[in-house]
Amino acid sequence: MKLNVNNPCPCGSLQKYKKCCKVFHDKIKLPKTALELMKSRFTAFSVQNADYIIFTTHKDNPDFTNDIKSWKADILDFSQNTNFEKLEILDFSEEDAEDTESFVTFKATLKQYNNDISFTEKSRFLKENGKWLYVDGQFID
């Protein structure tokens, strides 16, 4: 989906996209917290920004591959065929300057081909060289 930069950001912040997650997508700024990274990744899926998803995925993630072309195609296929309706943050660990691991629990409300594929996940993030990365997540019933 092409999103007008003046539209509300899909992450749910109530800010315009250009003032919210777009600054991360354009690499003007790096997310300072795992929560900012989580929200910006949800938005990246929503706006079909596969490059950002790849850029913010830890090498230990099960989906990580050096076959960037195929990985990017898979991300775009998922993003183009999914409606990213809502992101709800349920819990997150407060990070301080010393933290290198953080968790964010969220519910993503998604529709694909008119089917509800919503899920709740506790995501794990690691901070390496000053950059937060998505490692993995556990689905919660």
Side-chain angles (χ1 to χ4, degrees), residues 100-112:
T100 58
E101 183 178 45
S102 187
F103 297 88
V104 179
T105 304
F106 67 92
K107 179 177 181 186
T109 303
L110 311 176
K111 294 265 175 79
Q112 201 172 63

Side-chain angles (χ1 to χ4, degrees), residues 7-71:
N7 282 4
C9 191
C11 78
S13 68
L14 304 178
Q15 295 179 35
K16 292 179 180 181
Y17 173 57
K18 69 181 177 184
K19 299 279 188 181
C20 193
C21 291
K22 189 172 187 330
V23 298
F24 302 128
H25 297 167
D26 291 345
K27 299 179 186 160
I28 294 167
K29 295 187 337 186
L30 289 175
K32 293 180 185 173
T33 66
L35 180 59
E36 283 185 337
L37 179 61
M38 172 43 245
K39 289 179 169 187
S40 66
R41 283 177 58 88
F42 177 87
T43 299
F45 277 109
S46 176
V47 300
Q48 302 169 19
N49 186 338
D51 291 328
Y52 185 77
I53 297 300
I54 292 168
F55 176 71
T56 58
T57 301
H58 194 276
K59 62 182 173 17
D60 292 341
N61 181 283
D63 293 331
F64 189 92
T65 178
N66 288 321
D67 182 358
I68 302 297
K69 184 177 179 183
S70 174
W71 187 13

Side-chain angles (χ1 to χ4, degrees), residues 59-112:
K59 62 182 173 17
D60 292 341
N61 181 283
D63 293 331
F64 189 92
T65 178
N66 288 321
D67 182 358
I68 302 297
K69 184 177 179 183
S70 174
W71 187 13
K72 187 174 180 175
D74 289 345
I75 294 167
L76 289 174
D77 181 59
F78 174 74
S79 294
Q80 291 166 352
N81 293 295
T82 305
N83 291 333
F84 296 80
E85 297 186 354
K86 186 176 181 185
L87 175 65
E88 297 171 78
I89 304 302
L90 304 176
D91 190 32
F92 64 97
S93 58
E94 289 285 347
E95 303 95 4
D96 61 39
E98 305 302 314
D99 285 339
T100 58
E101 183 178 45
S102 187
F103 297 88
V104 179
T105 304
F106 67 92
K107 179 177 181 186
T109 303
L110 311 176
K111 294 265 175 79
Q112 201 172 63

